[in-house]
């Protein structure tokens, strides 16, 4: 199953995106309580979105995003058309990557 | 001896050529590691941008005044300022940084995310303008049930 669900909609030259990443987002405190070691914390550290190889979204994140975090954002869509695929990728603290893609509707 | 020298030189040149291509978009976790371990909002902003003087305008921040569940607080923010990057901080958790967006030529700076807060506190959004100045907005909120202890 895709690790990120992506919904993108093009309207009047603007693409609106709603993305949900599936991730536990364990903080240091939670890891310490549950496993006794704060180094077991694991969360998404970097998330980016590309269309046709062009980066349209890029963020670095910390442990304080909610569990299964939802991201909403917009970007200029003149260059893109319906049917183009938005590919989103995250990297977590342990170096694991998750991917998801959605067609622009 | 000559050949060994040649080999090491080529390898070095190759390594140099590969690095710039991989750091196109800035990963703030790698470039500014101290931001993520800062305990106060002031320290976080200082570690990220080198200064704490911000102009309190131009940024719109919307968050609930009372959040029932500290595990997922919806935060919306937007700005019309031509920005280079946008950072979100809060002061209720052990560390202050939440996330940093790097703005690109396609960005429309209107975002919404869900964050965790352990207790009542305030959220600060800092926008780094292309003019080099920092713009910010701050909102305090009450959290009924903390979301960080799991």
């Amino acid at each position: 199953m895709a690790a990120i669900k992506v919904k993108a909609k093009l309207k009047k030259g603007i693409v609106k995106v709603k993305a949900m990443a599936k991730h536990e987002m364990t903080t240091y405190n939670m890891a310490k309580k549950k496993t006794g070691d704060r180094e077991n914390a694991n969360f998404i550290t970097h998330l980016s979105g590309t269309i046709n190889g062009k980066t349209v979204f890029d963020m670095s994140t910390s442990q304080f995003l909610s569990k299964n975090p939802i991201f909403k954002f917009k970007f200029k869509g003149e260059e893109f058309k319906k049917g183009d695929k938005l590919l989103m990728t995250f990297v977590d603290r342990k170096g694991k990557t998750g991917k998801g893609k959605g067609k622009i509707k | 001896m000559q050949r060994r020298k040649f080999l090491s030189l080529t390898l070095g040149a190759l390594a140099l050529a590969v690095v710039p291509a991989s750091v196109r978009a800035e990963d703030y976790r790698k470039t500014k590691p101290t931001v993520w371990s800062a305990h106060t909002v002031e320290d976080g902003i200082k570690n990220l941008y080198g200064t704490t003087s911000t102009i309190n305008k131009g940024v719109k921040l919307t968050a609930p005044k009372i959040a029932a569940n500290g595990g997922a607080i919806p935060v919306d923010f937007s700005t019309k300022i031509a920005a280079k990057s946008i950072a979100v901080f809060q002061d209720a958790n052990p560390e202050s940084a939440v996330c940093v967006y790097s703005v690109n030529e396609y960005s429309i700076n209107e975002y919404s995310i869900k964050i965790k807060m352990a207790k009542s506190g305030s959220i600060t959004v800092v926008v780094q303008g292309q003019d080099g100045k920092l713009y910010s907005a701050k909102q305090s909120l009450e959290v009924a049930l903390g979301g960080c202890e799991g």
Side-chain angles (χ1 to χ4, degrees), chain B residues 69-86:
Chain B
N69 178 8
I73 304 166
V75 182
D76 301 353
F77 50 95
S78 61
T79 180
K80 294 249 171 358
I81 299 164
K84 254 161 97 179
S85 66
I86 300 171

Side-chain angles (χ1 to χ4, degrees), chain B residues 41-135:
Chain B
V41 177
E42 283 76 22
D43 281 354
I45 298 172
K46 206 172 172 197
N47 288 349
L48 186 57
Y49 296 122
T51 173
T52 52
S53 63
T54 59
I55 304 163
N56 193 5
K57 64 168 192 187
V59 186
K60 203 176 152 213
L61 166 66
T62 319
K65 286 209 168 53
I66 299 167
N69 178 8
I73 304 166
V75 182
D76 301 353
F77 50 95
S78 61
T79 180
K80 294 249 171 358
I81 299 164
K84 254 161 97 179
S85 66
I86 300 171
V88 182
F89 298 93
Q90 45 62 46
D91 61 4
N93 295 339
E95 289 90 22
S96 65
V98 176
C99 61
V100 183
Y101 293 86
S102 44
V103 175
N104 53 56
E105 69 266 36
Y106 297 106
S107 297
I108 294 166
N109 293 317
E110 214 178 299
Y111 303 98
S112 91
I113 49 168
K114 289 199 171 173
I115 69 168
K116 281 192 282 229
M117 277 169 85
K119 57 182 196 291
S120 301
S122 63
I123 300 169
T124 311
V125 175
V126 182
V127 174
Q128 182 195 26
Q130 281 170 359
D131 53 6
K133 288 178 187 141
L134 297 180
Y135 301 88

Side-chain angles (χ1 to χ4, degrees), chain A residues 4-92:
Chain A
I4 310 178
K5 274 187 197 167
V6 185
K7 274 186 184 173
K9 203 161 194 182
L10 179 67
K11 206 177 178 186
K12 290 177 187 163
I14 292 170
V15 183
K16 265 192 193 175
V17 184
K18 199 174 169 186
M20 190 185 102
K22 264 191 108 60
H23 203 284
E24 278 295 320
M25 302 299 282
T26 326
T27 66
Y28 293 114
N29 280 2
M30 276 151 101
K32 194 162 186 202
K33 242 181 191 176
K34 281 190 180 151
T35 64
D37 185 4
R38 76 196 296 273
E39 287 307 311
N40 279 330
N42 195 13
F43 46 85
I44 295 171
T45 56
H46 198 258
L47 179 76
S48 64
T50 55
I51 301 180
N52 308 335
K54 285 173 187 143
T55 303
V56 292
F57 177 74
D58 190 83
M59 75 188 287
S60 311
T61 58
S62 81
Q63 62 272 38
F64 302 126
L65 290 170
S66 67
K67 182 182 169 186
N68 297 337
I70 291 173
F71 307 91
K72 284 186 210 159
F73 59 95
K74 294 178 183 176
F75 59 89
K76 290 172 198 142
E78 287 96 351
E79 262 183 55
F80 311 114
K81 57 184 188 304
K82 293 183 181 185
D84 280 352
K85 273 182 191 147
L86 171 64
L87 178 70
M88 300 205 55
T89 314
F90 72 69
V91 182
D92 70 14

